[in-house]
Amino acid sequence: MAIEKTFVMVKPDGVQRGLIGEIVSRFERKGLKLVGAKLMSVSQQLAEQHYAEHKERPFFGELVQFITSSPVFAMVWEGENAVSVARTMMGKTNPAESAPGTIRGDFGLTIGMNIIHGSDSPESADREIALWFGNEALSYDKAVDVWVG
Ligand code: DAT
Ligand code: MG
């Protein structure tokens, strides 16, 4: 048993296209538990910290511009192997290569606007949850927990 928390964010394109509900619904139906959520504007500083690992990449400026251009919906989801489960549900980084049935595969077309972010490892999840939520994420029991493992 490895109960993990992961940071997931509907990016500005997903919010603008009205996909928050669809995405939340997919994670809920999967059996993950929502332990934090907020619609928010992203400052330049937060965007640069979040994507610090990419700061030398040629697309960094565009990425920061995009993520700060309109509100995002930031979430923390919890459950067994939540980090890798969420990544699998999202699909590959490039929506053109993401399998149908995944979020990017079903709703995305280009890598620059790929709808959703999810932490790529438990270590990244810890860092990103601390960055976006501090200690705001909740801890609570749901009666259905015993039926989803
Ligand atoms: P992921 O979001 O799947 O973790 P990543 O961490 O490699 O992917 O990159 C972060 C984001 O940067 C990604 O969601 C979209 C953008 N990006 C990645 N590679 C890109 C590229 N070659 N051109 C433009 N944007 C890119
Ligand atoms: Mg990444």
Side-chain angles (χ1 to χ4, degrees):
M1 290 283 279
I3 300 289
E4 296 173 343
K5 287 187 177 68
T6 190
F7 174 69
V8 174
M9 163 172 64
V10 182
K11 294 181 179 181
D13 54 334
V15 175
Q16 289 285 343
R17 290 174 56 194
L19 292 173
I20 294 173
E22 168 73 33
I23 289 168
V24 168
S25 178
R26 286 185 180 215
F27 283 95
E28 282 186 323
R29 286 180 292 163
K30 184 68 175 171
L32 293 170
K33 188 195 293 184
L34 186 63
V35 296
K38 53 186 171 185
L39 183 73
M40 59 184 283
S41 300
V42 183
S43 68
Q44 180 87 8
Q45 187 192 17
L46 177 57
E48 289 179 2
Q49 282 179 285
H50 175 72
Y51 281 124
E53 65 172 314
H54 297 305
K55 69 172 180 295
E56 307 302 335
R57 309 283 287 276
F59 56 82
F60 183 70
E62 262 174 58
L63 185 57
V64 168
Q65 202 282 327
F66 168 56
I67 217 74
T68 57
S69 64
S70 183
V72 302
F73 191 66
M75 296 165 278
V76 182
W77 288 93
E78 181 183 272
E80 183 80 17
N81 297 315
V83 173
S84 65
V85 165
R87 291 285 293 190
T88 301
M89 291 170 69
M90 287 161 46
K92 289 189 178 173
T93 302
N94 186 348
E97 295 166 4
S98 303
T102 66
I103 293 164
R104 287 165 170 169
D106 285 350
F107 303 114
L109 205 51
T110 63
I111 196 165
M113 294 202 185
N114 61 4
I115 300 165
I116 186 166
H117 167 86
S119 307
D120 63 8
S121 68
E123 295 71 32
S124 300
D126 287 347
R127 185 185 78 82
E128 293 171 1
I129 291 167
L131 183 62
W132 291 80
F133 282 87
N135 55 14
E136 279 173 39
L138 304 177
S139 176
Y140 62 101
D141 293 324
K142 284 171 79 179
V144 75
D145 285 349
V146 294
W147 297 103
V148 293

